[in-house]
Amino acid sequence: MLKSVLLGVMMTCTLGAAAQDTLLVQGSAPDLYLTHVVKKGETWYSLGRSYGLSPKDIAAKNKMQMDQGLALGKQLNIPLNKSNFVQTKDASASAGLRPVYHRVAEKETLYRIHIRYDRVPLDNVRQWNHLSGDGVQKDAFMVVGFVKGNGASAVLAQAPATPPPPPVSKAQTAAPETKPVLAKSQTAKPEVKPAVTRSQPAEPEAKPAVTRSQPAEPETKPAPKAQSAEPESAPSTSLGRTPVVPEGGFEQQYNNQTNNGRDAVSEKGPGTWFKSNAVVGSGKYYALHNSAPRGTIVKVTNPLNGRSIYAKVLDAIPQLKANANLIIKLSDAAQDALGTTEPRFYCELNYDEK
């Protein structure tokens, strides 16, 4: 009985944190809007770029004048209208768009959601949320459209400094994998921050073949404290089950780098995958990222289900058209641990930027 009560409390806390970490739509059509808390250095114009909207429209929605300036910590309402709110069926695959969510209320139906959000086509909602029918679950977060804007200076609605906890007490375990085989040219471009070239000790494990010309240094991993060599093979997993991560691993390195998460910076946006020859069992993932130094451990969270993994940065994201607006590329074996097989997925990153 006590275990059931504790589990219910943890689920309630998780749902509250998830609501803060997503762009939640407020109001009903035609008066739909998002909430935004002003942070240091933001202006009316940076907010306009972040949400694909005229700064004058934001000021008018909040009954303010643009010459007033913005006070740190002030909560603003960001209107959603035809100029910045997209509900077309293929919007989920478009660059420069961020999903916005509705939290399902008790006894609410898919039809009522369709009416509330300007009669968004039901087929669109089913496709965005991978639904096969019309059933919806209380407290689920459902995509009901996409907002324009680069999101560079946006603080998502009342976002906390740290990511939400997992749905259950064991959800911090992540599907292990070995190091990736990178199939594309990964040379960094001029505007991308140069990778840190600090020396890292080699690990006794066998290294996967790399198909591009680069030093082997990014493929090495610093040995965690008192950690023995881990097996190179393990049974594969099926989507929805998270295998146990060996003690230590990248999570311990992340905690050391970020002072147990207190010094971590947060970043939100779209990510994608690169192919790897991962074998389940190592409990470690790898990533490409444009600003985190090489060797940084990044915590990647799927805000739709609260699942998180820890990935080591190998290099910068190649500056290709297909990679436009991405904030991270992960080795594809992390799909199982994050609970998504979408080619592009929305995620939150936490890492030490020093």
Side-chain angles (χ1 to χ4, degrees), residues 178-336:
T178 60
K179 292 171 282 185
V181 172
L182 303 182
K184 296 182 180 179
S185 173
Q186 309 292 341
T187 55
K189 298 304 179 289
E191 62 270 32
V192 177
K193 293 184 180 179
V196 177
T197 58
R198 61 178 180 272
S199 174
Q200 298 182 4
E203 191 173 13
E205 295 178 357
K207 308 298 183 295
V210 178
T211 59
R212 58 186 177 88
S213 297
Q214 74 170 37
E217 186 269 338
E219 297 297 326
T220 63
K221 299 179 286 187
K225 297 180 182 178
Q227 181 177 353
S228 59
E230 297 166 358
E232 286 296 324
S233 63
S236 59
T237 62
S238 60
L239 187 62
R241 182 169 63 86
T242 306
V244 176
V245 179
E247 184 177 357
F250 284 167
E251 180 176 0
Q252 182 61 50
Q253 295 181 40
Y254 169 85
N255 290 332
N256 293 339
Q257 290 179 3
T258 62
N259 191 18
N260 290 324
R262 288 188 288 271
D263 298 335
V265 297
S266 179
E267 186 177 359
K268 300 176 180 68
T272 188
W273 317 97
F274 61 82
K275 291 185 179 298
S276 70
N277 64 342
V279 177
V280 175
S282 69
K284 300 173 184 177
Y285 303 92
Y286 294 87
L288 305 178
H289 190 275
N290 280 340
S291 58
R294 184 181 302 174
T296 298
I297 306 302
V298 178
K299 183 176 183 179
V300 185
T301 301
N302 181 349
L304 293 180
N305 55 26
R307 292 189 181 182
S308 299
I309 60 99
Y310 298 86
K312 180 179 179 180
V313 175
L314 297 179
D315 212 331
I317 301 174
Q319 194 178 35
L320 304 173
K321 184 176 180 181
N323 296 335
N325 300 316
L326 293 178
I327 64 170
I328 197 168
K329 294 191 76 169
L330 284 173
S331 50
D332 54 4
Q335 291 179 342
D336 189 73

